[in-house]
Coordinates of all heavy atoms in Angstrom, one line a residue:
D46 N 188.0 56.7 -44.7 CA 188.3 55.4 -45.0 C 187.2 54.6 -45.6 O 187.3 53.8 -46.6 CB 188.8 54.6 -43.7 CG 190.1 55.2 -43.2 OD1 190.8 55.9 -43.9 OD2 190.4 55.0 -42.0
A57 N 185.0 48.6 -58.7 CA 185.2 47.2 -58.9 C 184.0 46.4 -59.4 O 184.1 45.5 -60.2 CB 185.7 46.5 -57.6
I72 N 178.3 42.0 -76.7 CA 177.6 43.3 -76.6 C 178.1 44.0 -75.3 O 178.2 43.3 -74.2 CB 176.1 43.1 -76.5 CG1 175.6 42.5 -77.8 CG2 175.4 44.5 -76.3 CD1 174.1 42.2 -77.8
A82 N 182.0 57.7 -59.1 CA 183.0 58.4 -58.3 C 182.6 59.8 -58.0 O 183.0 60.3 -56.9 CB 184.4 58.4 -59.1
V156 N 165.1 59.7 -66.9 CA 165.7 61.0 -66.5 C 164.6 61.9 -66.0 O 163.6 62.1 -66.7 CB 166.4 61.6 -67.7 CG1 166.9 63.0 -67.4 CG2 167.6 60.8 -68.1
S206 N 152.7 74.3 -56.9 CA 152.4 75.1 -55.8 C 152.4 74.4 -54.5 O 152.5 75.0 -53.4 CB 151.0 75.7 -56.1 OG 150.0 74.7 -56.2
T250 N 174.8 76.2 -51.1 CA 175.9 75.9 -52.1 C 177.2 75.4 -51.4 O 177.7 76.2 -50.5 CB 176.2 77.1 -53.0 OG1 174.9 77.5 -53.6 CG2 177.2 76.8 -54.0
Y281 N 188.2 75.0 -66.1 CA 188.5 74.4 -64.8 C 188.8 72.9 -65.0 O 189.8 72.4 -64.4 CB 187.3 74.5 -63.8 CG 187.5 73.7 -62.6 CD1 188.4 74.0 -61.6 CD2 186.8 72.5 -62.5 CE1 188.6 73.2 -60.5 CE2 187.0 71.6 -61.4 CZ 187.9 72.0 -60.4 OH 188.1 71.2 -59.3
Q375 N 195.2 50.0 -64.9 CA 194.8 51.1 -64.1 C 194.0 50.7 -62.9 O 194.1 51.2 -61.8 CB 193.9 52.1 -65.0 CG 194.7 52.8 -66.0 CD 193.7 53.5 -67.0 OE1 192.6 53.1 -67.2 NE2 194.2 54.6 -67.6
E406 N 177.5 50.1 -36.7 CA 176.6 51.1 -36.0 C 175.6 51.7 -37.0 O 174.5 51.9 -36.7 CB 177.5 52.2 -35.4 CG 178.4 51.8 -34.2 CD 179.4 52.8 -33.9 OE1 179.5 53.9 -34.5 OE2 180.2 52.5 -33.0
I541 N 143.3 57.4 -58.4 CA 142.7 57.6 -59.7 C 143.1 58.9 -60.3 O 142.8 60.0 -59.7 CB 141.1 57.5 -59.7 CG1 140.7 56.2 -59.0 CG2 140.5 57.6 -61.1 CD1 139.2 56.1 -58.8

Side-chain angles (χ1 to χ4, degrees):
D46 294 339
I72 298 173
V156 175
S206 60
T250 300
Y281 169 76
Q375 290 169 334
E406 292 166 2
I541 303 173

